[in-house]
Amino acid sequence: MITCLFSGAVAGFGLYLLSLCAVKAPHRRASFFAVAELTFPRAAVFFDAAIAIKCFGVSIRREPSCMDALWAELGSAHHDPAHTPRVLRKLDSLRHTSYIALFSVAYLVVIVVVCYFFPLKGTPEPGEIHLIHFTPNFISTFPVQVFAYTCAQNLFPIFNEISSNTQRRMNIVIGTSIGSAAMIYEIIAVFGYLTFGTKVGANIIAMYPSTSLFIAVGQLAIAILVMFSYPLQVHPCRNCLDKVFHAGHVLSKQAGDPEDEEPEDEHGGSHDMSPLKHTLLTLAIVASGFTIAYFVDDLQMGARVLLLSLTGY
């Protein structure tokens, strides 16, 4: 519980620092690339490459989660992530799906709390419950808590699109976002642990009997939640890849070719990115991510195999 709150506080402070940097960028053109141009111009492309890799990795992790939830709900369902609304250019276009995702989160909280006070028939018996239980495995959970607050890649687009992007308004946005996320994480973690004790699994929704309609709706809600959050990773990944593939033009502009300058969008990509390029980048991200998620059941094991193959062992 303490490290979860600590991770949230550090994430919030990082977002606050990014909001201060956004003010230094051109008006409503803030991006990691724009900020890097003010500090390490020739390294700007590498920043975008790192962000693209990070977003792609998170998107891969969410695709099997979505498929697992749909499998639990429907038995044998095929999910094509190309059908989710990720070809839109602005985050504001995803506001309606975000409302549904927030409802899904609220429903999960209700399930965890209600099933603690009123256990469903078929719920596994809880294991031991400790007030303080510290083991070496605790260290392995810390990265999970850190990544649970991952949202920095969308801070600049939000800063550019919000109607009043004053520092006070941004502080409210950051505080409410991180604060509400921390509160939800704590509620689910505490009540989930009190319900199952040491027997609690990594996927809390899978611990409850799926024969209940109350739980089945929750499983579907989680699938919808993951599905609608997927475009939030593809959006910055696509724009960063556009900047990486446009590296030659970027370097020439930095060398002093003012006639080559182009207006940039909210994440450092060019406004005149052709619809064909926009579509091809999106399809490439979705197809490659879906392929990995479809053929790799255990992403942790897959990452280890990839690491071993790269190091030659």
Side-chain angles (χ1 to χ4, degrees):
M1 293 174 61
I2 295 175
T3 54
C4 184
L5 294 176
F6 173 76
S7 300
V10 173
F13 181 64
L15 295 176
Y16 170 73
L17 295 179
L18 288 178
S19 66
L20 295 180
C21 296
V23 179
K24 305 297 183 181
H27 180 63
R28 296 195 181 276
R29 292 292 183 269
S31 65
F32 283 100
F33 181 84
V35 173
E37 280 191 316
L38 301 176
T39 53
F40 303 99
R42 292 194 172 275
V45 174
F46 297 101
F47 281 103
D48 279 280
I51 297 170
I53 294 173
K54 174 263 172 192
C55 294
F56 180 71
V58 175
S59 67
I60 292 177
R61 184 62 190 92
R62 294 190 176 187
E63 290 203 38
S65 299
C66 181
M67 289 190 291
D68 289 344
L70 284 174
W71 183 274
E73 167 63 20
L74 303 177
S76 57
H78 283 279
H79 168 59
D80 183 3
H83 292 163
T84 55
R86 61 177 60 85
V87 296
L88 304 175
R89 292 179 180 266
K90 290 188 176 182
L91 286 179
D92 182 68
S93 304
L94 301 173
R95 61 187 182 277
H96 300 297
T97 57
S98 297
Y99 296 148
I100 301 175
L102 290 175
F103 171 78
S104 302
V105 173
Y107 192 86
L108 176 61
V109 173
V110 171
I111 288 179
V112 176
V113 174
V114 170
C115 289
Y116 168 71
F117 290 103
F118 306 99
L120 297 175
K121 183 179 180 180
T123 302
E125 290 294 327
E128 297 181 2
I129 298 177
H130 306 276
L131 179 62
I132 299 177
H133 186 61
F134 186 84
T135 65
N137 292 332
F138 166 79
I139 304 300
S140 64
T141 65
F142 188 68
V144 177
Q145 298 181 40
V146 172
F147 276 94
Y149 295 96
T150 299
C151 57
Q153 72 279 355
N154 288 321
L155 187 278
F156 289 130
I158 292 175
F159 179 85
N160 296 330
E161 296 181 21
I162 193 171
S163 58
S164 175
N165 56 3
T166 61
Q167 188 60 52
R168 181 179 179 182
R169 182 68 181 277
M170 290 302 300
N171 292 342
I172 294 176
V173 172
I174 294 171
T176 53
S177 301
I178 297 297
S180 59
M183 180 180 65
I184 291 172
Y185 292 154
E186 295 285 13
I187 292 176
I188 295 178
V190 170
F191 281 93
Y193 178 70
L194 293 177
T195 302
F196 300 105
T198 54
K199 294 182 180 180
V200 65
N203 187 359
I204 186 67
I205 194 67
M207 298 292 296
Y208 300 103
S210 58
T211 55
S212 170
L213 179 62
F214 181 54
I215 302 301
V217 174
Q219 293 174 341
L220 179 61
I222 295 301
I224 294 175
L225 168 65
V226 177
M227 181 173 63
F228 284 165
S229 64
Y230 184 82
L232 297 177
Q233 300 297 328
V234 176
H235 180 273
C237 182
R238 176 182 56 235
N239 291 331
C240 288
L241 286 178
D242 173 52
K243 187 60 63 180
V244 171
F245 295 147
H246 217 46
H249 170 77
V250 171
L251 293 177
S252 65
K253 184 178 72 172
Q254 292 171 353
D257 298 330
E259 65 276 5
D260 291 336
E261 291 187 2
E262 299 174 348
E264 296 176 346
D265 69 6
E266 65 273 5
H267 201 78
S270 176
H271 264 308
D272 60 356
M273 183 197 306
S274 65
L276 177 61
K277 185 176 183 181
H278 185 274
T279 302
L280 290 177
L281 283 176
T282 303
L283 291 177
I285 296 170
V286 175
S288 56
F290 179 78
T291 301
I292 296 175
Y294 186 82
F295 288 102
V296 179
D297 294 329
D298 188 347
L299 289 180
Q300 183 178 11
M301 182 62 66
R304 291 175 179 173
V305 172
L306 177 61
L307 179 61
L308 292 176
S309 63
L310 292 176
T311 55
Y313 289 99

